[in-house]
Amino acid sequence: MPATLPGQPTSLWTATAADDGYPQLAGDDAADVAVIGGGIAGLTTAWVLSNAGKSVVLLEAGRIGAGVTGHTTGKVTSLHRLAYQDLPAGTAALYGRANQLAVEYVTALAGDQGIDCGLREVDNYTFAESAAGLARVRREAELTASLGLPASFTTEVPLPFAVRGAVKFQRQAQIHAVRYLHGLAKAVTRAGGRIFENTTVSSFGDGRVVTEKGAVYAKDVVVATNMPFTKQGLFMFRCHPHRSYLVAAPLAGELWDGTFISADEPLRSILTTRIDGENYVLAGGEGHPVSEAVTDQAERYRRLAAYATDRLGAGSAAYRWSTQDGVPLDGIPYAGPVTPWNKHVQVITGLRKWGLSNGTACALAVADRILGRVNPFISLYDSNRFTPIRSAARFVTANLATARAMLRRPASRGLPGPGEAGVIQRNGKPVAVYTEPDGQAHAVSAVCTHQGCTVEWNSGDLTWDCPCHGSRYQPDGQVIHGPAVKPLAPAD
């Protein structure tokens, strides 16, 4: 089965970025602020604080850029498909301003700090091929233009196939996401910040962040780990992970002057990029909540690879990867105190799959909060807000889906053959077994170390995935995506 999958199983961004490398934490340390997470939100927060004179220690469980930010599309835009027509008017206006300022911040910072991340200023489009989709993009264009965003309706869309029309946001951006993070990390260290990789945080509290390598003592803590690994704030009930899939394929000819996403289903996200002299087209989509019982991950990659070839004129897929991000109940990310009574622990989560802009905007709000500076978007991203009218239905639906996933038990079966995986029962306990094509078997506990759900096999990425809160593991049990911080235990 793995041999039939398109492309290398790695993100284009991580495959084409130099590995700068930072040390592990070795013993105790101290700083004004400890930032947990080396993605867009954590590094932007660390940059703003260190540039303002705060001493900062940033802790990353893996490598800089290896997490969700390194698996994004690379779009930096305030046009988030058709998000604005689903938000109240006042909220939509603030959300638009926050994200447009984030686009401008990323663009300016890349220039000011000399970050070589292939930044391109492009227009971003949400396009429609159906009559129903056309009505929605017209409505989005009218609404966002009225909010003062750089929006217009157009029928001229630079795609290699005909569409009915699109909402267009001018002067947006795209970047090589991992190269941008590496440049941002260098800016943090130049400003005096200290970065430690391969350092997993296990707990924090009372001004101390605990890792297996030592503790960091800090007055303020920022948890920017995509999905918080702490139970504080109950974000696992307020923010639900959603997975998407992408392929990158070589493209003959010039890059297209824009980035694109469809208004119609199935969703398709499209952009072109040039890396080290090679042009690529990215095609994304096929998304689903992680709580959904999915067994056709490999087929989802095949559909995207076929789309890139048949509709976009690309060659055979060179890379494939998936990613997941938290979707907040009311559509707005959470950024602020982890609980109302804990003012010195901040959290950033629920970036709703637009992390390069939302993550930047949230980081600016959290950093300003710590610095005591005025930020007009602190109330927008209030991490302890209560919006029952907008959230109640989604709260019930999403948490019922998670509960069903928690109760789901894979059927017991015999030992998997070469290239296969399955959950079997051994001594009354579920064991996750993957047998490599050469016959080598990996057996680990099938019980997720986060909240005890039973993991399920992902045939597209060859990983064990938790359907409850989104933790992901390698076949040998090592964590590759939180909120879990502990690996799956070895088993016979």
Side-chain angles (χ1 to χ4, degrees), residues 116-174:
D116 182 11
C117 59
L119 187 145
R120 295 179 67 214
E121 184 180 281
V122 292
D123 298 331
N124 188 32
Y125 300 82
T126 299
F127 65 91
E129 297 184 78
S130 70
L134 181 64
R136 290 194 295 272
V137 299
R138 283 187 182 277
R139 186 160 60 248
E140 192 80 352
E142 294 172 0
L143 171 60
T144 51
S146 72
L147 297 177
L149 295 168
S152 61
F153 174 80
T154 182
T155 57
E156 301 295 325
V157 182
L159 280 168
F161 54 85
V163 302
R164 291 175 180 259
V167 51
K168 170 184 173 181
F169 273 33
Q170 293 180 300
R171 302 187 65 182
Q172 306 296 288
Q174 66 177 82

Coordinates of all heavy atoms in Angstrom, one line a residue, residues 116-174:
D116 N 14.8 35.5 4.4 CA 14.8 34.9 3.0 C 13.7 33.8 3.0 O 14.1 32.6 3.2 CB 16.1 34.4 2.6 CG 16.1 33.9 1.1 OD1 15.1 34.1 0.4 OD2 17.1 33.2 0.8
C117 N 12.5 34.1 2.8 CA 11.4 33.1 2.9 C 10.6 33.1 1.6 O 9.4 32.6 1.6 CB 10.5 33.4 4.1 SG 9.7 35.0 4.1
G118 N 11.1 33.6 0.5 CA 10.4 33.5 -0.8 C 9.1 34.3 -0.8 O 8.1 33.9 -1.4
L119 N 9.0 35.4 0.0 CA 7.8 36.1 0.1 C 7.4 36.7 -1.2 O 8.2 37.3 -1.9 CB 8.0 37.2 1.2 CG 6.7 38.0 1.5 CD1 6.7 38.4 3.0 CD2 6.5 39.2 0.7
R120 N 6.1 36.5 -1.6 CA 5.5 37.0 -2.8 C 4.3 37.8 -2.4 O 3.4 37.3 -1.6 CB 5.1 35.9 -3.8 CG 6.2 35.1 -4.4 CD 5.7 34.1 -5.3 NE 5.1 34.7 -6.5 CZ 4.0 34.2 -7.1 NH1 3.4 33.1 -6.6 NH2 3.5 34.8 -8.2
E121 N 4.1 39.0 -2.9 CA 2.9 39.7 -2.7 C 1.9 39.3 -3.8 O 2.2 39.5 -5.0 CB 3.1 41.2 -2.8 CG 1.9 42.1 -2.5 CD 2.1 43.6 -2.6 OE1 2.6 44.1 -1.6 OE2 1.8 44.2 -3.6
V122 N 0.8 38.7 -3.5 CA -0.1 38.2 -4.4 C -1.6 38.5 -4.0 O -1.8 38.9 -2.8 CB 0.0 36.6 -4.6 CG1 1.3 36.2 -5.2 CG2 -0.2 36.0 -3.2
D123 N -2.5 38.4 -4.9 CA -3.9 38.6 -4.6 C -4.4 37.2 -4.1 O -3.9 36.1 -4.6 CB -4.7 39.0 -5.8 CG -4.3 40.4 -6.2 OD1 -3.8 41.2 -5.4 OD2 -4.4 40.7 -7.4
N124 N -5.4 37.2 -3.3 CA -6.0 35.9 -2.8 C -7.4 35.9 -3.2 O -8.1 36.9 -3.1 CB -5.8 35.8 -1.3 CG -6.2 34.4 -0.8 OD1 -6.0 33.4 -1.4 ND2 -6.8 34.4 0.4
Y125 N -7.8 34.7 -3.7 CA -9.2 34.5 -4.2 C -9.9 33.4 -3.6 O -9.4 32.3 -3.3 CB -9.1 34.2 -5.7 CG -8.4 35.2 -6.6 CD1 -7.0 35.2 -6.7 CD2 -9.2 36.1 -7.4 CE1 -6.4 36.1 -7.6 CE2 -8.5 37.0 -8.2 CZ -7.2 37.0 -8.3 OH -6.5 37.9 -9.2
T126 N -11.2 33.6 -3.3 CA -12.2 32.5 -3.0 C -13.1 32.4 -4.2 O -13.8 33.4 -4.5 CB -13.0 32.8 -1.7 OG1 -12.1 32.9 -0.6 CG2 -14.0 31.7 -1.5
F127 N -12.9 31.3 -5.0 CA -13.6 31.3 -6.3 C -14.8 30.3 -6.3 O -14.9 29.4 -5.4 CB -12.6 30.8 -7.4 CG -12.1 29.4 -7.2 CD1 -12.7 28.3 -7.8 CD2 -10.9 29.2 -6.5 CE1 -12.2 27.0 -7.6 CE2 -10.4 27.9 -6.3 CZ -11.1 26.8 -6.9
A128 N -15.7 30.5 -7.2 CA -16.9 29.7 -7.3 C -17.1 29.2 -8.7 O -16.8 29.9 -9.7 CB -18.1 30.6 -6.9
E129 N -17.5 27.9 -8.7 CA -17.8 27.3 -10.0 C -19.3 27.0 -10.2 O -19.7 26.7 -11.3 CB -17.0 25.9 -10.1 CG -15.5 26.1 -10.1 CD -14.8 24.8 -10.3 OE1 -14.7 24.4 -11.5 OE2 -14.2 24.3 -9.4
S130 N -20.0 27.0 -9.1 CA -21.5 26.8 -9.1 C -22.2 28.1 -8.9 O -21.7 29.1 -8.5 CB -21.9 25.8 -8.0 OG -21.8 26.4 -6.7
A131 N -23.5 28.1 -9.3 CA -24.3 29.3 -9.1 C -24.5 29.6 -7.6 O -24.5 30.7 -7.2 CB -25.7 29.0 -9.7
A132 N -24.7 28.6 -6.8 CA -24.8 28.8 -5.3 C -23.5 29.4 -4.8 O -23.5 30.3 -3.9 CB -25.2 27.5 -4.6
G133 N -22.4 28.8 -5.2 CA -21.1 29.4 -4.8 C -20.9 30.8 -5.2 O -20.4 31.6 -4.5
L134 N -21.4 31.1 -6.4 CA -21.2 32.5 -6.9 C -22.0 33.5 -6.0 O -21.5 34.6 -5.7 CB -21.8 32.6 -8.3 CG -21.7 33.9 -9.0 CD1 -20.2 34.4 -9.2 CD2 -22.4 33.9 -10.4
A135 N -23.2 33.1 -5.6 CA -24.0 34.0 -4.7 C -23.2 34.2 -3.4 O -23.2 35.4 -2.9 CB -25.3 33.4 -4.5
R136 N -22.6 33.2 -2.9 CA -21.8 33.4 -1.6 C -20.6 34.2 -1.8 O -20.3 35.1 -0.9 CB -21.5 32.0 -1.1 CG -22.6 31.2 -0.6 CD -22.2 30.0 0.2 NE -21.4 29.0 -0.6 CZ -22.0 28.0 -1.2 NH1 -23.3 27.8 -1.2 NH2 -21.2 27.1 -1.9
V137 N -19.9 34.1 -2.9 CA -18.7 34.9 -3.0 C -19.1 36.4 -3.3 O -18.4 37.3 -2.9 CB -17.7 34.4 -4.1 CG1 -17.2 33.0 -3.7 CG2 -18.3 34.4 -5.5
R138 N -20.2 36.6 -4.0 CA -20.7 38.0 -4.2 C -21.0 38.6 -2.8 O -20.6 39.8 -2.5 CB -21.9 38.0 -5.1 CG -21.6 37.9 -6.5 CD -22.9 38.1 -7.3 NE -22.7 37.9 -8.8 CZ -22.3 38.8 -9.6 NH1 -21.9 40.0 -9.1 NH2 -22.1 38.6 -10.9
R139 N -21.7 37.9 -2.0 CA -22.0 38.4 -0.6 C -20.8 38.6 0.2 O -20.7 39.7 0.9 CB -22.9 37.3 0.0 CG -23.5 37.8 1.4 CD -24.7 37.0 1.8 NE -24.4 35.6 1.9 CZ -24.9 34.7 1.1 NH1 -25.7 35.0 0.1 NH2 -24.6 33.4 1.3
E140 N -19.8 37.8 0.1 CA -18.6 38.0 0.9 C -17.8 39.2 0.4 O -17.2 40.0 1.2 CB -17.7 36.7 0.8 CG -16.5 36.7 1.7 CD -16.9 36.3 3.1 OE1 -18.1 36.2 3.4 OE2 -15.9 36.1 4.0
A141 N -17.8 39.4 -0.9 CA -17.1 40.5 -1.5 C -17.8 41.8 -1.0 O -17.1 42.8 -0.7 CB -17.1 40.4 -3.0
E142 N -19.1 41.9 -1.1 CA -19.8 43.1 -0.7 C -19.6 43.4 0.8 O -19.3 44.5 1.2 CB -21.3 43.0 -1.0 CG -21.6 42.9 -2.5 CD -23.1 42.6 -2.7 OE1 -23.8 42.4 -1.7 OE2 -23.5 42.5 -3.9
L143 N -19.6 42.3 1.6 CA -19.5 42.5 3.1 C -18.1 43.0 3.4 O -17.9 43.9 4.2 CB -19.8 41.2 3.8 CG -19.5 41.1 5.3 CD1 -20.3 42.2 6.0 CD2 -19.8 39.7 5.8
T144 N -17.1 42.3 2.9 CA -15.7 42.6 3.3 C -15.3 44.0 2.7 O -14.5 44.7 3.4 CB -14.7 41.5 2.8 OG1 -15.0 41.2 1.4 CG2 -14.9 40.2 3.6
A145 N -15.8 44.3 1.6 CA -15.5 45.7 1.1 C -16.1 46.7 2.0 O -15.5 47.8 2.3 CB -16.0 45.9 -0.3
S146 N -17.3 46.5 2.5 CA -17.9 47.4 3.5 C -17.2 47.5 4.8 O -17.3 48.5 5.5 CB -19.4 47.0 3.7 OG -19.5 45.9 4.5
L147 N -16.4 46.5 5.1 CA -15.6 46.5 6.4 C -14.3 47.2 6.2 O -13.5 47.3 7.1 CB -15.4 45.1 6.8 CG -16.6 44.3 7.2 CD1 -16.2 42.9 7.6 CD2 -17.4 45.0 8.3
G148 N -14.0 47.7 5.0 CA -12.7 48.4 4.7 C -11.6 47.5 4.3 O -10.4 48.0 4.3
L149 N -11.9 46.2 4.1 CA -10.8 45.3 3.7 C -10.6 45.5 2.2 O -11.4 46.0 1.4 CB -11.2 43.9 4.0 CG -11.3 43.6 5.5 CD1 -12.0 42.3 5.8 CD2 -10.0 43.7 6.2
P150 N -9.4 45.0 1.7 CA -9.0 45.2 0.2 C -9.7 44.3 -0.7 O -9.1 43.5 -1.4 CB -7.5 45.0 0.3 CG -7.3 44.0 1.4 CD -8.3 44.4 2.4
A151 N -11.1 44.3 -0.7 CA -11.9 43.3 -1.3 C -12.6 43.8 -2.5 O -13.0 45.0 -2.6 CB -12.9 42.7 -0.3
S152 N -12.9 42.9 -3.5 CA -13.7 43.2 -4.6 C -14.2 41.9 -5.2 O -13.7 40.8 -5.0 CB -12.9 44.0 -5.7 OG -11.8 43.2 -6.1
F153 N -15.3 42.0 -6.0 CA -15.7 40.9 -6.8 C -15.1 40.9 -8.2 O -15.0 42.0 -8.8 CB -17.3 40.8 -6.9 CG -17.8 39.7 -7.8 CD1 -17.9 38.5 -7.3 CD2 -18.1 40.0 -9.1 CE1 -18.4 37.4 -8.1 CE2 -18.6 39.0 -9.9 CZ -18.7 37.7 -9.4
T154 N -14.7 39.8 -8.7 CA -14.1 39.7 -10.0 C -14.5 38.4 -10.7 O -14.8 37.4 -10.1 CB -12.6 39.8 -9.9 OG1 -12.1 39.8 -11.3 CG2 -12.0 38.6 -9.1
T155 N -14.6 38.5 -12.0 CA -14.7 37.3 -12.9 C -13.4 36.9 -13.5 O -13.3 35.9 -14.3 CB -15.8 37.5 -13.9 OG1 -15.5 38.7 -14.7 CG2 -17.2 37.7 -13.3
E156 N -12.4 37.7 -13.3 CA -11.1 37.5 -13.9 C -10.2 36.8 -12.8 O -9.7 37.4 -11.9 CB -10.4 38.8 -14.3 CG -11.2 39.5 -15.4 CD -11.3 38.8 -16.7 OE1 -10.3 38.1 -17.0 OE2 -12.3 38.8 -17.3
V157 N -10.1 35.5 -12.9 CA -9.3 34.7 -11.9 C -8.2 33.9 -12.6 O -8.5 33.1 -13.5 CB -10.3 33.7 -11.2 CG1 -9.5 32.9 -10.1 CG2 -11.5 34.5 -10.5
P158 N -7.0 34.1 -12.3 CA -5.9 33.5 -13.0 C -5.6 32.1 -12.7 O -4.6 31.7 -12.2 CB -4.7 34.4 -12.6 CG -5.0 34.9 -11.3 CD -6.5 35.1 -11.3
L159 N -6.6 31.2 -13.0 CA -6.5 29.8 -12.8 C -6.6 29.1 -14.2 O -7.1 29.8 -15.2 CB -7.7 29.3 -12.0 CG -7.6 29.4 -10.4 CD1 -8.9 29.1 -9.8 CD2 -6.5 28.5 -9.9
P160 N -6.1 27.9 -14.3 CA -6.1 27.3 -15.7 C -7.4 26.6 -16.0 O -7.5 25.8 -17.0 CB -5.0 26.2 -15.5 CG -5.0 25.9 -14.1 CD -5.3 27.2 -13.3
F161 N -8.5 27.0 -15.3 CA -9.8 26.5 -15.7 C -10.8 27.6 -15.4 O -10.5 28.6 -14.6 CB -10.2 25.2 -15.0 CG -10.1 25.3 -13.5 CD1 -11.1 25.8 -12.7 CD2 -8.9 24.9 -12.8 CE1 -11.0 25.9 -11.3 CE2 -8.8 25.0 -11.4 CZ -9.9 25.5 -10.7
A162 N -11.9 27.6 -16.1 CA -12.9 28.7 -15.9 C -13.7 28.6 -14.6 O -14.0 27.5 -14.2 CB -13.9 28.6 -17.1
V163 N -14.0 29.7 -14.0 CA -14.8 29.8 -12.8 C -15.8 30.9 -13.1 O -15.7 31.7 -14.0 CB -14.0 30.1 -11.6 CG1 -12.9 29.1 -11.4 CG2 -13.4 31.5 -11.7
R164 N -16.9 30.9 -12.3 CA -18.0 31.9 -12.4 C -17.6 33.3 -11.9 O -18.1 34.3 -12.3 CB -19.2 31.4 -11.8 CG -19.9 30.3 -12.5 CD -21.1 29.8 -11.7 NE -21.8 28.6 -12.3 CZ -22.9 28.7 -13.0 NH1 -23.5 29.9 -13.2 NH2 -23.4 27.6 -13.6
G165 N -16.8 33.3 -10.8 CA -16.4 34.6 -10.2 C -15.7 34.3 -8.9 O -15.6 33.1 -8.4
A166 N -15.2 35.4 -8.2 CA -14.5 35.2 -7.0 C -14.5 36.5 -6.2 O -14.7 37.6 -6.8 CB -13.1 34.8 -7.3
V167 N -14.4 36.3 -4.9 CA -14.0 37.5 -4.1 C -12.5 37.6 -4.0 O -11.8 36.5 -3.8 CB -14.6 37.4 -2.6 CG1 -14.3 36.0 -2.0 CG2 -14.1 38.5 -1.7
K168 N -12.0 38.7 -4.3 CA -10.5 39.0 -4.4 C -10.1 39.9 -3.3 O -10.6 41.0 -3.2 CB -10.2 39.5 -5.8 CG -8.8 40.0 -6.0 CD -8.7 40.6 -7.4 CE -7.4 41.3 -7.7 NZ -7.4 41.9 -9.0
F169 N -9.0 39.6 -2.6 CA -8.3 40.5 -1.7 C -7.0 40.8 -2.3 O -6.2 39.9 -2.6 CB -8.1 39.8 -0.3 CG -9.3 39.9 0.6 CD1 -10.6 40.0 0.2 CD2 -9.0 40.0 2.0 CE1 -11.6 40.1 1.1 CE2 -10.1 40.1 2.9 CZ -11.4 40.1 2.5
Q170 N -6.7 42.1 -2.5 CA -5.5 42.5 -3.1 C -4.4 42.6 -2.1 O -4.6 42.7 -0.9 CB -5.7 43.9 -3.7 CG -6.6 44.0 -4.9 CD -6.7 45.4 -5.4 OE1 -7.2 46.3 -4.7 NE2 -6.3 45.5 -6.7
R171 N -3.1 42.5 -2.6 CA -1.9 42.7 -1.8 C -1.8 41.8 -0.6 O -1.5 42.3 0.5 CB -1.7 44.1 -1.5 CG -1.7 45.0 -2.7 CD -1.3 46.5 -2.3 NE 0.1 46.5 -1.8 CZ 0.7 47.6 -1.4 NH1 0.0 48.8 -1.4 NH2 1.9 47.6 -1.0
Q172 N -2.1 40.5 -0.7 CA -1.9 39.5 0.3 C -0.5 39.0 0.1 O 0.3 39.5 -0.6 CB -3.0 38.5 0.3 CG -4.4 39.1 0.3 CD -4.7 39.8 1.6 OE1 -4.9 39.2 2.7 NE2 -4.8 41.1 1.6
A173 N -0.2 37.8 0.7 CA 1.2 37.3 0.6 C 1.2 35.8 0.7 O 0.2 35.2 1.2 CB 2.0 37.9 1.7
Q174 N 2.3 35.2 0.3 CA 2.6 33.8 0.5 C 4.1 33.7 0.9 O 4.9 34.5 0.4 CB 2.3 33.0 -0.7 CG 3.1 33.2 -1.9 CD 2.8 32.3 -3.1 OE1 1.8 32.5 -3.8 NE2 3.5 31.2 -3.3

